[in-house]
Amino acid sequence: MFFMIQRAVHDSMPRVYRTPLMKIKTSSLLASLAVFLCYGVAHAQDEQVVLIGLAAPLTGSSARIGKDLENGAQLALDDANRTHPTIGGKPVIYKLVSADDQSDPRTAVSVAQQLVDQHVIGVVGHWNTGCSVPASRVYHEAGIPEIAPASTGHQYTLQGYDTAFRIMGHDDGSGAYTGAYAVKTLKAKRIAVIDDQTAFGAGLATQFIKGVQSNGGTIIDHEYISDNTVDFSAVLTALKAKQPDLIFLGGIDVEAAPLVRRMHQLQIHATLLGAGGFVSQTFLKLAGPDGEGVTALEPGRPLDRMAGGPAFDAQYRARYHAPIELHAPFAYDAAATLIAATHQADSTDPKKLVSTLHTIERPGITGTISFDREGNLKDPAYTIYEVREGKWVVVNVLGGGAAQTASK
């Protein structure tokens, strides 16, 4: 190495400077440099790279959400790496390996296998339940833990895989809370339901209906769309004739915004209610003034009431020069919890991490992170929001126990 460095530097020097004295000084300097570089190479070789997977939609219509998840997870790795972590007494560095599942179940299975083949120690993902359910089988067969930052369909953790975990509440809780809110607080008497027939939307609609009925409410109709629907005229015209005073949508923000605009155009005087995937900056931009009064429940506390929410918000904005889109804090906690498990187990063996995750309890950005037997977050919080003057305003926080203090 020394002679390679000496030759490269010597050849780059103007001939006028190639004196015997210069050669002596250069040789001494290069000897020191060679020792330094050799030390650096040895140190880099000793440092173990620990791979953590991120599976989310990074292209297509949901790419903004996938990027938000990736950004949140990356901040967790950056924070961990700044502490110069060690495992088994040896230095490690955490690296995020991102994979695009395109919000497609088949692609999600392929992506899951790719991450397994790259020897990740765990996965933050997937965003939607329809991807997490089939992908979780791949992770389970490989013994790799998966912490979903937003897959709220209960079926994901009902499969019985000990490798499946969820960092927020599931739809059984969302449906029960939202159904009760529709009947008891909004005093809705004629409730219609629309769902987009995805695993998320259909599951949420089912739980909402149960919540309404258990609180003495009445469902007058249940209509169906797809997650690609752009014209809601037919379904809304059918509902208008039945005079609903509340319409529940089992879907996300990019469906809710054009739906509520069309409701206004058709003069349907009903509250639009959702329970997951509504509360975003994208909805506000797409819905405009027609978004006023839209109400939605979201799993988790509002950002300013999360234990580490304000600090995380500032960190996110400083790094990415944009506000949080939706679920970045949950992706941060998912990644940080995988990292915490490596330190608690003092190992990067995925099987040891799975066992550790079943007993872990730690303060996170979003609250206390601890899982039940199924892998669900214990005592999850939910928040009711309403659009007022073009902003999402907190109406009520449900569940979740007392506020916790987070340490990053």
Side-chain angles (χ1 to χ4, degrees):
M1 175 181 286
F2 170 77
F3 293 108
M4 291 174 64
I5 296 170
Q6 183 185 43
R7 179 61 184 273
V9 175
H10 184 269
D11 290 347
S12 67
M13 286 178 146
R15 185 171 298 275
V16 68
Y17 292 117
R18 294 179 189 170
T19 65
L21 178 61
M22 178 60 76
K23 288 181 179 179
I24 294 172
K25 290 183 177 180
T26 301
S27 297
S28 177
L29 174 63
L30 290 173
S32 298
L33 179 61
V35 171
F36 172 78
L37 288 175
C38 288
Y39 170 79
V41 170
H43 180 72
Q45 289 173 342
D46 288 343
E47 194 173 60
Q48 180 188 359
V49 177
V50 179
L51 302 180
I52 293 177
L54 181 285
L58 299 175
T59 58
S61 60
S62 300
R64 62 197 166 79
I65 296 175
K67 188 62 179 177
D68 192 53
L69 294 173
E70 183 181 46
N71 290 346
Q74 185 62 58
L75 287 178
L77 270 65
D78 291 345
D79 284 347
N81 287 333
R82 274 193 288 270
T83 68
H84 306 291
T86 61
I87 296 175
K90 296 182 178 180
V92 298
I93 184 169
Y94 297 98
K95 180 181 178 182
L96 194 67
V97 180
S98 298
D100 179 15
D101 67 16
Q102 302 173 27
S103 284
D104 176 70
R106 290 186 179 181
T107 304
V109 171
S110 176
V111 158
Q113 189 60 56
Q114 291 171 22
L115 291 174
V116 169
D117 292 343
Q118 291 182 72
H119 306 291
V120 298
I121 63 156
V123 175
V124 176
H126 296 234
W127 170 54
N128 53 337
T129 304
C131 288
S132 280
V133 168
S136 61
R137 175 180 53 82
V138 178
Y139 302 128
H140 177 66
E141 290 176 354
I144 292 174
E146 172 193 5
I147 304 182
S151 296
T152 55
H154 197 179
Q155 59 266 45
Y156 162 59
T157 48
L158 284 176
Q159 299 175 103
Y161 297 153
D162 64 348
T163 50
F165 301 88
R166 189 196 332 265
I167 210 81
M168 62 167 56
H170 56 69
D171 291 344
D172 289 15
S174 297
Y177 279 129
T178 313
Y181 191 78
V183 175
K184 294 183 176 180
T185 302
L186 298 180
K187 307 296 182 184
K189 303 296 184 185
R190 300 179 59 79
I191 300 171
V193 175
I194 302 173
D195 83 62
D196 64 7
Q197 302 182 78
T198 62
F200 166 72
L204 196 54
T206 297
Q207 295 304 321
F208 172 75
I209 291 170
K210 289 180 181 178
V212 167
Q213 293 173 339
S214 67
N215 284 278
T218 301
I219 303 294
I220 61 169
D221 198 4
H222 188 168
E223 296 286 341
Y224 303 90
I225 58 172
S226 81
D227 57 348
N228 295 316
T229 299
V230 293
D231 185 356
F232 298 90
S233 298
V235 67
L236 287 175
T237 299
L239 287 180
K240 183 178 180 179
K242 298 181 180 180
Q243 299 181 323
D245 55 6
L246 184 143
I247 296 176
F248 176 85
L249 173 64
I252 62 173
D253 52 6
V254 292
E255 299 159 8
L259 177 68
V260 75
R261 289 203 312 270
R262 192 63 180 138
M263 285 171 62
H264 281 236
Q265 291 167 358
L266 293 174
Q267 296 185 340
I268 297 176
H269 304 295
T271 298
L272 178 61
L273 178 64
F278 271 37
V279 183
S280 69
Q281 296 301 310
T282 295
F283 173 85
L284 298 176
K285 292 176 184 177
L286 295 178
D290 292 331
E292 284 296 302
V294 170
T295 302
L297 176 143
E298 284 289 335
R301 298 175 180 83
L303 187 63
D304 62 356
R305 299 191 196 181
M306 290 179 181
F312 178 78
D313 184 38
Q315 181 185 15
Y316 189 98
R317 289 173 182 271
R319 172 70 180 273
Y320 300 112
H321 308 290
I324 293 166
E325 175 65 21
L326 195 60
H327 294 134
F330 298 93
Y332 181 103
D333 271 353
T337 300
L338 284 171
I339 291 169
T342 65
H343 294 298
Q344 188 168 318
D346 199 27
S347 173
T348 58
D349 180 352
K351 291 180 174 58
K352 291 183 180 179
L353 300 185
V354 169
S355 178
T356 299
L357 287 170
H358 278 284
T359 61
I360 204 166
E361 182 171 344
R362 58 176 297 272
I365 295 296
T366 60
T368 299
I369 309 301
S370 182
F371 305 104
D372 65 17
R373 289 179 60 188
E374 289 182 355
N376 300 308
L377 182 71
K378 290 181 180 178
D379 193 22
Y382 299 86
T383 303
I384 300 286
Y385 296 87
E386 183 182 335
V387 179
R388 298 175 184 170
E389 298 181 356
K391 297 179 180 180
W392 287 108
V393 176
V394 174
V395 176
N396 199 8
V397 179
L398 310 167
Q404 302 290 325
T405 301
S407 60
K408 289 173 60 174

